[in-house]
Amino acid sequence: MQYIRLDIKRFYNNRLIQVMLLLLLVVMIASPISVYYTNMKWDKFAEVIGIHPFQYWLLMDSVGWGHSIYHAFFWVFPVISTGLIYFSEKDSSVYELLVIRGDKKTYYFSKALVQFITTFMNFVILLSINVTVTYMLYSTDAPLTEQYRYFVPKEGMFCTPFYNIDPIYMIFLYVLLNALTIALLSVLILGIQEIFVFKNRYMAVLIPFLGIFVSYYITSLLLNEHTNYDLGIILQPRATSAMTTIISGKDVGLVFGVLTLLDVAILLVGYIRNREVC
Amino acid sequence: MKKISTYILIGCLSLMCLSATAFAATSTFSSTLKAKQKDTEVSTIRKATDTQSFKVTITDIGKDESALCVWTEGDLGKNFSSPYNQMGVETKSFDYTKTARIGKNITLNIDNPVYRTYAVPVVGEWTPN
């Protein structure tokens, strides 16, 4: 328990993580506000395009600048979310002191658990703030325009049953999926940092980032004919309305299952790799 | 003097012929939308009328795609219509959001709303009217 408390404190005191959270908070709030006021300059916008909030939350609004920033830096978030805390501890005598205090198994378990929980909660909260701001600006009572139908998920998509209950359920499904992905990727990055000895902080950031980004890129190209298994596509709500390939619940389950198993495997290797120390 | 007038007349007639093609009412396009980058400028046509709407027909989108964002820009890259307008394989007319006069160069932009790792081809025709 002491490791967990200590790790949570270290995460939220970490400057890298603080800056990332602050910048993202600004994006989550400012993006829907600026998009709203820009769009409202056209007097026919509400009548032609529509003003239902489902069209304008960050993950759905492919035109908005917040959406562009989110996707441009998506593969950076998991790396920054580690705060390089493990790397800093390992690079100094702090690591030995901490491991001696308790036991190595608990130390590594706590690192992974706190990494996952804090990253997951951070992105659930950030994306939820964006959804809240969007719902405050637009109106769920607004008439649905002809353009709105281009946002409705197709039949058979894994999110369609959620949408059919109420669009807000589909929104929070995607909030959870995106937060879960970034959390799992951050644990993967932590595992990579445990396995390899990096010369300095910059290598500890760059090499894992390149590793996951290039791996995803190659996988995505190989999955050209099977976009229903493409993680990047699964995370985008627009894919369920703008694409024809049906993404089922089983497809999503399989992809996340593989990612979770990969995390466990990498963490195990990282633990075994460091077994000899202390 | 007579020779100079003749050359001037030939020059004016040539210019009129060239201008006539630049005022072509409809243009076909066949383009490739880069993997999630905004503003793929597909075609530029000079407006021939004062109609405050443009019409686009998309006849083919790459496999796996069913909807694209479609909008227009003027000479300086400023939007002349909303980038929130969308369409699939169909014909649609969209209103301009600011006055587009005769003679104005209008550029059609198309964007894929889904981030992908590979390009998406699109075929169709359009007129700025």
Side-chain angles (χ1 to χ4, degrees), chain A residues 243-277:
Chain A
M243 290 176 63
T244 54
T245 301
I246 298 296
I247 305 169
S248 70
K250 277 189 191 160
D251 299 336
V252 176
L254 178 66
V255 170
F256 278 89
V258 167
L259 186 56
T260 305
L261 283 173
L262 188 63
D263 270 6
V264 170
I266 296 280
L267 286 172
L268 263 170
V269 171
Y271 171 70
I272 292 166
R273 171 93 170 72
N274 291 282
R275 207 171 33 184
E276 300 82 41
V277 179

mmCIF file of all heavy atoms in Angstrom, chain A residues 243-277:
data_model
loop_
_atom_site.group_PDB
_atom_site.id
_atom_site.type_symbol
_atom_site.label_atom_id
_atom_site.label_comp_id
_atom_site.label_asym_id
_atom_site.label_seq_id
_atom_site.Cartn_x
_atom_site.Cartn_y
_atom_site.Cartn_z
ATOM 1 N N MET A 243 -17.383 4.777 -42.487
ATOM 2 C CA MET A 243 -16.754 3.633 -43.136
ATOM 3 C C MET A 243 -17.776 2.515 -43.298
ATOM 4 O O MET A 243 -18.802 2.492 -42.624
ATOM 5 C CB MET A 243 -15.543 3.157 -42.323
ATOM 6 C CG MET A 243 -14.395 4.159 -42.399
ATOM 7 S SD MET A 243 -12.990 3.732 -41.375
ATOM 8 C CE MET A 243 -12.471 2.202 -42.105
ATOM 9 N N THR A 244 -17.479 1.588 -44.192
ATOM 10 C CA THR A 244 -18.445 0.522 -44.475
ATOM 11 C C THR A 244 -18.140 -0.769 -43.719
ATOM 12 O O THR A 244 -19.038 -1.578 -43.509
ATOM 13 C CB THR A 244 -18.482 0.213 -45.990
ATOM 14 O OG1 THR A 244 -17.149 -0.069 -46.424
ATOM 15 C CG2 THR A 244 -19.010 1.397 -46.781
ATOM 16 N N THR A 245 -16.880 -0.966 -43.319
ATOM 17 C CA THR A 245 -16.538 -2.198 -42.587
ATOM 18 C C THR A 245 -17.207 -2.190 -41.225
ATOM 19 O O THR A 245 -17.106 -1.214 -40.479
ATOM 20 C CB THR A 245 -15.018 -2.316 -42.398
ATOM 21 O OG1 THR A 245 -14.393 -2.319 -43.667
ATOM 22 C CG2 THR A 245 -14.654 -3.590 -41.651
ATOM 23 N N ILE A 246 -17.873 -3.297 -40.901
ATOM 24 C CA ILE A 246 -18.558 -3.383 -39.620
ATOM 25 C C ILE A 246 -17.562 -3.820 -38.540
ATOM 26 O O ILE A 246 -16.846 -4.812 -38.703
ATOM 27 C CB ILE A 246 -19.727 -4.393 -39.690
ATOM 28 C CG1 ILE A 246 -20.762 -3.933 -40.722
ATOM 29 C CG2 ILE A 246 -20.370 -4.584 -38.320
ATOM 30 C CD1 ILE A 246 -21.457 -2.626 -40.412
ATOM 31 N N ILE A 247 -17.516 -3.062 -37.459
ATOM 32 C CA ILE A 247 -16.647 -3.395 -36.316
ATOM 33 C C ILE A 247 -17.559 -3.949 -35.223
ATOM 34 O O ILE A 247 -18.394 -3.234 -34.677
ATOM 35 C CB ILE A 247 -15.909 -2.141 -35.799
ATOM 36 C CG1 ILE A 247 -15.127 -1.460 -36.928
ATOM 37 C CG2 ILE A 247 -14.970 -2.508 -34.655
ATOM 38 C CD1 ILE A 247 -14.595 -0.091 -36.577
ATOM 39 N N SER A 248 -17.394 -5.223 -34.919
ATOM 40 C CA SER A 248 -18.286 -5.860 -33.947
ATOM 41 C C SER A 248 -17.684 -5.799 -32.544
ATOM 42 O O SER A 248 -16.500 -5.479 -32.379
ATOM 43 C CB SER A 248 -18.523 -7.316 -34.330
ATOM 44 O OG SER A 248 -17.327 -8.053 -34.136
ATOM 45 N N GLY A 249 -18.487 -6.161 -31.567
ATOM 46 C CA GLY A 249 -18.007 -6.211 -30.188
ATOM 47 C C GLY A 249 -16.878 -7.232 -30.041
ATOM 48 O O GLY A 249 -15.923 -7.001 -29.298
ATOM 49 N N LYS A 250 -16.986 -8.332 -30.783
ATOM 50 C CA LYS A 250 -15.948 -9.380 -30.714
ATOM 51 C C LYS A 250 -14.624 -8.838 -31.250
ATOM 52 O O LYS A 250 -13.556 -9.137 -30.695
ATOM 53 C CB LYS A 250 -16.354 -10.583 -31.559
ATOM 54 C CG LYS A 250 -17.284 -11.535 -30.872
ATOM 55 C CD LYS A 250 -17.476 -12.811 -31.674
ATOM 56 C CE LYS A 250 -18.624 -13.609 -31.081
ATOM 57 N NZ LYS A 250 -19.187 -14.577 -32.007
ATOM 58 N N ASP A 251 -14.681 -8.041 -32.316
ATOM 59 C CA ASP A 251 -13.453 -7.468 -32.887
ATOM 60 C C ASP A 251 -12.759 -6.589 -31.856
ATOM 61 O O ASP A 251 -11.543 -6.658 -31.658
ATOM 62 C CB ASP A 251 -13.777 -6.614 -34.129
ATOM 63 C CG ASP A 251 -14.429 -7.419 -35.231
ATOM 64 O OD1 ASP A 251 -14.227 -8.650 -35.268
ATOM 65 O OD2 ASP A 251 -15.174 -6.813 -36.050
ATOM 66 N N VAL A 252 -13.549 -5.752 -31.182
ATOM 67 C CA VAL A 252 -13.005 -4.833 -30.174
ATOM 68 C C VAL A 252 -12.418 -5.630 -29.015
ATOM 69 O O VAL A 252 -11.315 -5.356 -28.541
ATOM 70 C CB VAL A 252 -14.096 -3.865 -29.671
ATOM 71 C CG1 VAL A 252 -13.568 -2.981 -28.555
ATOM 72 C CG2 VAL A 252 -14.608 -3.007 -30.812
ATOM 73 N N GLY A 253 -13.154 -6.657 -28.584
ATOM 74 C CA GLY A 253 -12.692 -7.508 -27.487
ATOM 75 C C GLY A 253 -11.369 -8.178 -27.813
ATOM 76 O O GLY A 253 -10.463 -8.246 -26.976
ATOM 77 N N LEU A 254 -11.259 -8.652 -29.054
ATOM 78 C CA LEU A 254 -10.042 -9.341 -29.479
ATOM 79 C C LEU A 254 -8.841 -8.397 -29.464
ATOM 80 O O LEU A 254 -7.780 -8.729 -28.924
ATOM 81 C CB LEU A 254 -10.238 -9.905 -30.893
ATOM 82 C CG LEU A 254 -9.043 -10.622 -31.512
ATOM 83 C CD1 LEU A 254 -8.728 -11.902 -30.745
ATOM 84 C CD2 LEU A 254 -9.319 -10.975 -32.984
ATOM 85 N N VAL A 255 -9.020 -7.206 -30.019
ATOM 86 C CA VAL A 255 -7.914 -6.238 -30.095
ATOM 87 C C VAL A 255 -7.446 -5.833 -28.687
ATOM 88 O O VAL A 255 -6.252 -5.818 -28.403
ATOM 89 C CB VAL A 255 -8.329 -5.004 -30.926
ATOM 90 C CG1 VAL A 255 -7.305 -3.898 -30.815
ATOM 91 C CG2 VAL A 255 -8.546 -5.397 -32.379
ATOM 92 N N PHE A 256 -8.411 -5.546 -27.817
ATOM 93 C CA PHE A 256 -8.025 -5.136 -26.458
ATOM 94 C C PHE A 256 -7.457 -6.304 -25.666
ATOM 95 O O PHE A 256 -6.581 -6.127 -24.810
ATOM 96 C CB PHE A 256 -9.204 -4.475 -25.728
ATOM 97 C CG PHE A 256 -9.352 -3.030 -26.090
ATOM 98 C CD1 PHE A 256 -10.140 -2.649 -27.170
ATOM 99 C CD2 PHE A 256 -8.685 -2.054 -25.389
ATOM 100 C CE1 PHE A 256 -10.251 -1.322 -27.546
ATOM 101 C CE2 PHE A 256 -8.802 -0.710 -25.754
ATOM 102 C CZ PHE A 256 -9.583 -0.358 -26.826
ATOM 103 N N GLY A 257 -7.939 -7.498 -25.946
ATOM 104 C CA GLY A 257 -7.388 -8.691 -25.305
ATOM 105 C C GLY A 257 -5.925 -8.874 -25.672
ATOM 106 O O GLY A 257 -5.081 -9.139 -24.795
ATOM 107 N N VAL A 258 -5.624 -8.710 -26.949
ATOM 108 C CA VAL A 258 -4.239 -8.844 -27.420
ATOM 109 C C VAL A 258 -3.352 -7.775 -26.777
ATOM 110 O O VAL A 258 -2.247 -8.069 -26.306
ATOM 111 C CB VAL A 258 -4.185 -8.748 -28.964
ATOM 112 C CG1 VAL A 258 -2.759 -8.562 -29.456
ATOM 113 C CG2 VAL A 258 -4.801 -9.984 -29.595
ATOM 114 N N LEU A 259 -3.855 -6.560 -26.726
ATOM 115 C CA LEU A 259 -3.081 -5.452 -26.145
ATOM 116 C C LEU A 259 -2.800 -5.711 -24.657
ATOM 117 O O LEU A 259 -1.692 -5.489 -24.171
ATOM 118 C CB LEU A 259 -3.825 -4.135 -26.344
ATOM 119 C CG LEU A 259 -3.107 -2.843 -25.919
ATOM 120 C CD1 LEU A 259 -1.760 -2.720 -26.614
ATOM 121 C CD2 LEU A 259 -3.969 -1.630 -26.247
ATOM 122 N N THR A 260 -3.810 -6.219 -23.948
ATOM 123 C CA THR A 260 -3.646 -6.515 -22.522
ATOM 124 C C THR A 260 -2.620 -7.625 -22.318
ATOM 125 O O THR A 260 -1.753 -7.526 -21.436
ATOM 126 C CB THR A 260 -4.987 -6.929 -21.889
ATOM 127 O OG1 THR A 260 -5.951 -5.914 -22.152
ATOM 128 C CG2 THR A 260 -4.857 -7.115 -20.385
ATOM 129 N N LEU A 261 -2.712 -8.676 -23.137
ATOM 130 C CA LEU A 261 -1.753 -9.793 -23.021
ATOM 131 C C LEU A 261 -0.332 -9.312 -23.314
ATOM 132 O O LEU A 261 0.624 -9.738 -22.651
ATOM 133 C CB LEU A 261 -2.119 -10.916 -23.990
ATOM 134 C CG LEU A 261 -3.288 -11.792 -23.556
ATOM 135 C CD1 LEU A 261 -3.677 -12.774 -24.666
ATOM 136 C CD2 LEU A 261 -2.948 -12.578 -22.280
ATOM 137 N N LEU A 262 -0.212 -8.437 -24.298
ATOM 138 C CA LEU A 262 1.093 -7.860 -24.636
ATOM 139 C C LEU A 262 1.658 -7.096 -23.443
ATOM 140 O O LEU A 262 2.838 -7.215 -23.102
ATOM 141 C CB LEU A 262 0.921 -6.935 -25.845
ATOM 142 C CG LEU A 262 2.192 -6.384 -26.482
ATOM 143 C CD1 LEU A 262 3.046 -7.515 -27.042
ATOM 144 C CD2 LEU A 262 1.840 -5.418 -27.619
ATOM 145 N N ASP A 263 0.788 -6.321 -22.776
ATOM 146 C CA ASP A 263 1.196 -5.581 -21.581
ATOM 147 C C ASP A 263 1.727 -6.529 -20.519
ATOM 148 O O ASP A 263 2.797 -6.307 -19.936
ATOM 149 C CB ASP A 263 -0.002 -4.821 -20.993
ATOM 150 C CG ASP A 263 -0.136 -3.424 -21.560
ATOM 151 O OD1 ASP A 263 0.619 -3.099 -22.484
ATOM 152 O OD2 ASP A 263 -0.994 -2.664 -21.065
ATOM 153 N N VAL A 264 0.960 -7.581 -20.246
ATOM 154 C CA VAL A 264 1.344 -8.538 -19.191
ATOM 155 C C VAL A 264 2.685 -9.173 -19.539
ATOM 156 O O VAL A 264 3.570 -9.292 -18.685
ATOM 157 C CB VAL A 264 0.236 -9.604 -19.002
ATOM 158 C CG1 VAL A 264 0.713 -10.727 -18.095
ATOM 159 C CG2 VAL A 264 -1.024 -8.971 -18.430
ATOM 160 N N ALA A 265 2.837 -9.560 -20.795
ATOM 161 C CA ALA A 265 4.077 -10.213 -21.228
ATOM 162 C C ALA A 265 5.274 -9.278 -21.081
ATOM 163 O O ALA A 265 6.315 -9.671 -20.531
ATOM 164 C CB ALA A 265 3.938 -10.672 -22.678
ATOM 165 N N ILE A 266 5.118 -8.040 -21.531
ATOM 166 C CA ILE A 266 6.223 -7.067 -21.457
ATOM 167 C C ILE A 266 6.576 -6.780 -19.986
ATOM 168 O O ILE A 266 7.747 -6.676 -19.620
ATOM 169 C CB ILE A 266 5.847 -5.764 -22.198
ATOM 170 C CG1 ILE A 266 5.660 -6.017 -23.685
ATOM 171 C CG2 ILE A 266 6.863 -4.670 -21.940
ATOM 172 C CD1 ILE A 266 6.924 -6.090 -24.500
ATOM 173 N N LEU A 267 5.563 -6.646 -19.154
ATOM 174 C CA LEU A 267 5.810 -6.373 -17.726
ATOM 175 C C LEU A 267 6.555 -7.546 -17.068
ATOM 176 O O LEU A 267 7.456 -7.346 -16.248
ATOM 177 C CB LEU A 267 4.501 -6.114 -16.988
ATOM 178 C CG LEU A 267 3.842 -4.760 -17.239
ATOM 179 C CD1 LEU A 267 2.461 -4.708 -16.598
ATOM 180 C CD2 LEU A 267 4.701 -3.609 -16.735
ATOM 181 N N LEU A 268 6.165 -8.766 -17.453
ATOM 182 C CA LEU A 268 6.826 -9.952 -16.890
ATOM 183 C C LEU A 268 8.293 -9.975 -17.285
ATOM 184 O O LEU A 268 9.164 -10.236 -16.450
ATOM 185 C CB LEU A 268 6.142 -11.222 -17.410
ATOM 186 C CG LEU A 268 5.097 -11.823 -16.481
ATOM 187 C CD1 LEU A 268 4.315 -12.911 -17.204
ATOM 188 C CD2 LEU A 268 5.735 -12.394 -15.216
ATOM 189 N N VAL A 269 8.541 -9.701 -18.551
ATOM 190 C CA VAL A 269 9.921 -9.675 -19.044
ATOM 191 C C VAL A 269 10.708 -8.598 -18.298
ATOM 192 O O VAL A 269 11.845 -8.828 -17.870
ATOM 193 C CB VAL A 269 9.971 -9.428 -20.568
ATOM 194 C CG1 VAL A 269 11.395 -9.190 -21.044
ATOM 195 C CG2 VAL A 269 9.349 -10.601 -21.321
ATOM 196 N N GLY A 270 10.081 -7.442 -18.096
ATOM 197 C CA GLY A 270 10.733 -6.340 -17.371
ATOM 198 C C GLY A 270 11.070 -6.728 -15.941
ATOM 199 O O GLY A 270 12.163 -6.442 -15.440
ATOM 200 N N TYR A 271 10.163 -7.440 -15.304
ATOM 201 C CA TYR A 271 10.376 -7.873 -13.914
ATOM 202 C C TYR A 271 11.513 -8.896 -13.846
ATOM 203 O O TYR A 271 12.408 -8.776 -13.002
ATOM 204 C CB TYR A 271 9.080 -8.475 -13.354
ATOM 205 C CG TYR A 271 9.256 -9.129 -12.011
ATOM 206 C CD1 TYR A 271 9.500 -8.348 -10.879
ATOM 207 C CD2 TYR A 271 9.186 -10.515 -11.862
ATOM 208 C CE1 TYR A 271 9.685 -8.940 -9.639
ATOM 209 C CE2 TYR A 271 9.367 -11.102 -10.623
ATOM 210 C CZ TYR A 271 9.610 -10.315 -9.527
ATOM 211 O OH TYR A 271 9.796 -10.906 -8.296
ATOM 212 N N ILE A 272 11.471 -9.860 -14.751
ATOM 213 C CA ILE A 272 12.512 -10.908 -14.761
ATOM 214 C C ILE A 272 13.876 -10.283 -15.069
ATOM 215 O O ILE A 272 14.900 -10.642 -14.472
ATOM 216 C CB ILE A 272 12.156 -12.009 -15.787
ATOM 217 C CG1 ILE A 272 10.916 -12.775 -15.289
ATOM 218 C CG2 ILE A 272 13.325 -12.961 -16.013
ATOM 219 C CD1 ILE A 272 10.256 -13.647 -16.334
ATOM 220 N N ARG A 273 13.888 -9.351 -15.987
ATOM 221 C CA ARG A 273 15.125 -8.664 -16.390
ATOM 222 C C ARG A 273 15.796 -7.978 -15.208
ATOM 223 O O ARG A 273 17.011 -7.894 -15.124
ATOM 224 C CB ARG A 273 14.737 -7.632 -17.457
ATOM 225 C CG ARG A 273 15.780 -6.657 -17.885
ATOM 226 C CD ARG A 273 16.555 -7.148 -19.102
ATOM 227 N NE ARG A 273 17.404 -6.118 -19.646
ATOM 228 C CZ ARG A 273 18.521 -5.664 -19.081
ATOM 229 N NH1 ARG A 273 18.904 -6.158 -17.918
ATOM 230 N NH2 ARG A 273 19.228 -4.717 -19.646
ATOM 231 N N ASN A 274 14.990 -7.471 -14.274
ATOM 232 C CA ASN A 274 15.527 -6.710 -13.148
ATOM 233 C C ASN A 274 15.600 -7.523 -11.855
ATOM 234 O O ASN A 274 15.851 -6.994 -10.786
ATOM 235 C CB ASN A 274 14.663 -5.464 -12.904
ATOM 236 C CG ASN A 274 14.810 -4.456 -14.018
ATOM 237 O OD1 ASN A 274 15.787 -3.725 -14.094
ATOM 238 N ND2 ASN A 274 13.837 -4.442 -14.912
ATOM 239 N N ARG A 275 15.399 -8.831 -11.997
ATOM 240 C CA ARG A 275 15.315 -9.704 -10.818
ATOM 241 C C ARG A 275 16.600 -9.738 -10.024
ATOM 242 O O ARG A 275 16.592 -9.855 -8.814
ATOM 243 C CB ARG A 275 14.959 -11.118 -11.269
ATOM 244 C CG ARG A 275 14.223 -11.920 -10.219
ATOM 245 C CD ARG A 275 13.703 -13.206 -10.774
ATOM 246 N NE ARG A 275 14.532 -13.789 -11.786
ATOM 247 C CZ ARG A 275 14.205 -14.886 -12.456
ATOM 248 N NH1 ARG A 275 13.061 -15.484 -12.229
ATOM 249 N NH2 ARG A 275 15.011 -15.371 -13.380
ATOM 250 N N GLU A 276 17.741 -9.632 -10.762
ATOM 251 C CA GLU A 276 19.047 -9.807 -10.114
ATOM 252 C C GLU A 276 19.401 -8.626 -9.237
ATOM 253 O O GLU A 276 20.161 -8.760 -8.297
ATOM 254 C CB GLU A 276 20.175 -9.978 -11.143
ATOM 255 C CG GLU A 276 20.006 -11.166 -12.070
ATOM 256 C CD GLU A 276 19.077 -10.837 -13.224
ATOM 257 O OE1 GLU A 276 19.188 -9.731 -13.750
ATOM 258 O OE2 GLU A 276 18.250 -11.692 -13.559
ATOM 259 N N VAL A 277 18.851 -7.442 -9.482
ATOM 260 C CA VAL A 277 19.243 -6.249 -8.738
ATOM 261 C C VAL A 277 18.747 -6.359 -7.289
ATOM 262 O O VAL A 277 17.636 -6.809 -7.039
ATOM 263 C CB VAL A 277 18.664 -4.976 -9.371
ATOM 264 C CG1 VAL A 277 19.046 -3.733 -8.591
ATOM 265 C CG2 VAL A 277 19.136 -4.876 -10.801
#
